[in-house]
Amino acid sequence: KNQVEQSPQSLIILEGKNCTLQCNYTVSPFSNLRWYKQDTGRGPVSLTIMTFSENTKSNGRYTATLDADTKQSSLHITASQLSDSASYICVVSFSGNTPLVFGKGTRLSVIA
Amino acid sequence: EADIYQTPRYLVIGTGKKITLECSQTMGHDKMYWYQQDPGMELHLIHYSYGVNSTEKGDLSSESTVSRIRTEHFPLTLESARPSHTSQYLCASSEFVAGGLNTGELFFGEGSRLTVL
């Protein structure tokens, strides 16, 4: 069973609106949590990386939050643009040499 | 923009053919990785390398092999392709940061989409 669950699976919003994507994880011991943006047919691009001691990090219109106690993270997108249409992937890292655990992603479509 | 390149971007081949997917990075990163991703599914690590002459298998069993003779180059080879190998293959790299496999930001290539008929 995947230890990183993302919701919703897909989302359609109007251009200019805000949205929030969710990520729940069961990975332990936790090292860091990453959010990636993946355009269709392209490789993922890093948006944020947060360690367990950080509870918020911003990158332009993207703001990620982390609650290490409840093992939940969210990615908030402000004033969405058509170019935000992509899959957003939550990735959790164990400590040490265990491979990263990827979520299946949330497919976001921004329409005019 | 990440300086990591994959070729070919798209490949359609017949069963039984040998293929090599190329991956090169110009960032001088020690760590390199190959991931496999099916549509709508999560990425799975199939191979990784800590540096020259270092290769390890990932958490997803794969019939592919890799080599790391030069820092910048990490090719993946399938000796005899089968339809079950149809997938997207993503190469990534990260700089060495003390703390194990998963430290350091990952930079991904654009991917190689393989279709085996």
Side-chain angles (χ1 to χ4, degrees):
Chain A
K1 182 182 186 300
N2 198 320
Q3 299 176 75
V4 177
E5 300 290 339
Q6 292 188 243
S7 62
Q9 186 175 352
S10 62
L11 181 63
I12 301 173
I13 62 172
L14 290 174
E15 185 180 15
K17 297 296 186 182
N18 303 336
C19 67
T20 300
L21 314 180
Q22 300 291 343
C23 174
N24 296 338
Y25 63 93
T26 58
V27 171
S28 180
F30 168 81
S31 176
N32 60 65
L33 186 144
R34 311 165 188 223
W35 282 94
Y36 285 85
K37 177 186 179 187
Q38 185 176 25
D39 292 320
T40 301
R42 312 285 294 269
V45 174
S46 178
L47 294 175
T48 64
I49 300 177
M50 290 184 292
T51 65
F52 64 88
S53 62
E54 297 174 294
N55 54 24
T56 187
K57 184 167 277 191
S58 292
N59 178 358
R61 294 180 297 103
Y62 302 102
T63 299
T65 64
L66 173 64
D67 186 333
D69 291 331
T70 61
K71 296 186 171 63
Q72 294 180 327
S73 177
S74 65
L75 180 70
H76 185 75
I77 304 174
T78 304
S80 62
Q81 300 175 358
L82 297 177
S83 58
D84 291 333
S85 295
S87 286
Y88 291 84
I89 304 172
C90 176
V91 186
V92 180
S93 170
F94 292 91
S95 302
N97 290 331
T98 308
L100 297 172
V101 182
F102 287 76
K104 293 183 179 180
T106 292
R107 178 71 205 173
L108 174 66
S109 298
V110 181
I111 59 175
Chain B
E1 192 91 2
D3 294 320
I4 179 165
Y5 308 100
Q6 290 186 241
T7 57
R9 289 290 315 280
Y10 304 93
L11 180 62
V12 180
I13 61 169
T15 297
K17 299 293 186 183
K18 177 180 178 178
I19 63 134
T20 296
L21 303 180
E22 302 287 350
C23 177
S24 295
Q25 51 96 4
T26 59
M27 296 173 282
H29 288 168
D30 287 313
K31 296 181 184 176
M32 295 190 74
Y33 316 78
W34 276 103
Y35 288 89
Q36 186 172 342
Q37 183 183 30
D38 292 323
M41 301 298 289
E42 61 269 40
L43 278 73
H44 287 287
L45 181 67
I46 51 175
H47 297 284
Y48 61 96
S49 167
Y50 283 110
V52 171
N53 294 326
S54 153
T55 61
E56 303 286 345
K57 289 188 179 294
D59 60 345
L60 180 67
S61 175
S62 174
E63 293 164 347
S64 59
T65 59
V66 292
S67 63
R68 190 86 183 276
I69 298 173
R70 302 198 315 267
T71 298
E72 63 271 21
H73 196 212
F74 192 40
L76 181 146
T77 298
L78 275 167
E79 291 292 333
S80 180
R82 295 205 303 270
S84 61
H85 295 139
T86 295
S87 189
Q88 165 129 307
Y89 294 85
L90 289 159
C91 180
S93 72
S94 67
E95 61 182 349
F96 179 81
V97 178
L101 178 64
N102 297 317
T103 51
E105 182 177 350
L106 275 183
F107 293 89
F108 284 89
E110 297 284 34
S112 292
R113 180 163 295 283
L114 173 65
T115 301
V116 184
L117 304 176

